[in-house]
Amino acid sequence: MSTETIENASIRRQFITFHSGDQEFGADIMAIREIRGWTKTTSLPHAPDFVRGVINLRGVVLPVVDLKARLGRGCTDPDPKHVVVVVKAGERTIGLLVDAVSDILTVTAGDIQPTPDLARDAQAEFVEGIAVLDNRMVTILSMDRLAASLVGEGLAQAA
């Protein structure tokens, strides 16, 4: 192993982890702007099923995406225990409806394994890799790719 490979493997990254359905996901902590309790959204006509609607976030209309539905895992039936994770990816800001936020996870690049070639479902295009830690596997999501996928839907707003 070269010195550069060893150095890259030791770079530490932090992720906010959260649950959606029966899976645990992580998002780069630098992309997270805030975590809010669930509030009712205003629906948008002709929006895809995974878009719950929009909320007013301090004067900005913020699209809220049901992460479980976006990943092809069924729709979330939100209740007051659910949360919206506000994410800024590039120039886009979106809200992700998730079941609950877990914790902050610090991993090295060596802890993140590539997604298996067999994983070619709706989720795979948004996955950076799988963090494997002790008895825990956390799917690391690319917020940039997730937000970019909404641009074609006309939903991600620059904020």
Side-chain angles (χ1 to χ4, degrees):
M1 204 183 279
S2 71
T3 305
E4 183 177 327
T5 304
I6 292 169
E7 287 173 6
N8 288 341
S10 66
I11 294 174
R12 294 183 155 318
R13 291 177 64 192
Q14 289 190 313
F15 298 93
I16 296 283
T17 62
F18 44 86
H19 288 270
S20 183
D22 59 355
Q23 224 173 334
E24 187 174 18
F25 296 95
D28 191 304
I29 197 167
M30 298 306 291
I32 308 301
R33 293 297 165 245
E34 66 182 274
I35 299 165
R36 304 174 48 88
W38 168 251
T39 56
K40 187 170 171 62
T41 59
T42 301
S43 63
L44 294 172
H46 308 292
D49 291 343
F50 59 82
V51 177
R52 298 302 301 204
V54 294
I55 60 173
N56 180 350
L57 181 65
R58 292 182 294 283
V60 174
V61 176
L62 181 75
V64 177
V65 173
D66 180 342
L67 182 64
K68 184 177 172 185
R70 183 65 182 115
L71 299 177
R73 306 284 187 207
C75 291
T76 301
D77 185 19
D79 62 38
K81 294 178 184 174
H82 287 85
V83 295
V84 175
V85 178
V86 179
V87 175
K88 184 157 177 84
E91 297 301 313
R92 310 271 178 234
T93 303
I94 61 172
L96 295 177
L97 171 62
V98 300
D99 296 344
V101 173
S102 304
D103 60 6
I104 297 173
L105 184 66
T106 303
V107 299
T108 63
D111 294 327
I112 300 175
Q113 302 296 316
T115 306
D117 289 337
L118 299 174
R120 294 288 177 230
D121 59 6
Q123 177 177 311
E125 70 180 290
F126 308 122
V127 175
E128 282 186 29
I130 310 287
V132 180
L133 305 160
D134 300 323
N135 297 332
R136 193 170 164 195
M137 289 180 39
V138 179
T139 303
I140 304 299
L141 297 175
S142 167
M143 293 297 109
D144 289 334
R145 283 185 256 167
L146 188 61
S149 76
L150 301 176
V151 174
E153 307 286 346
L155 298 169
Q157 301 294 321

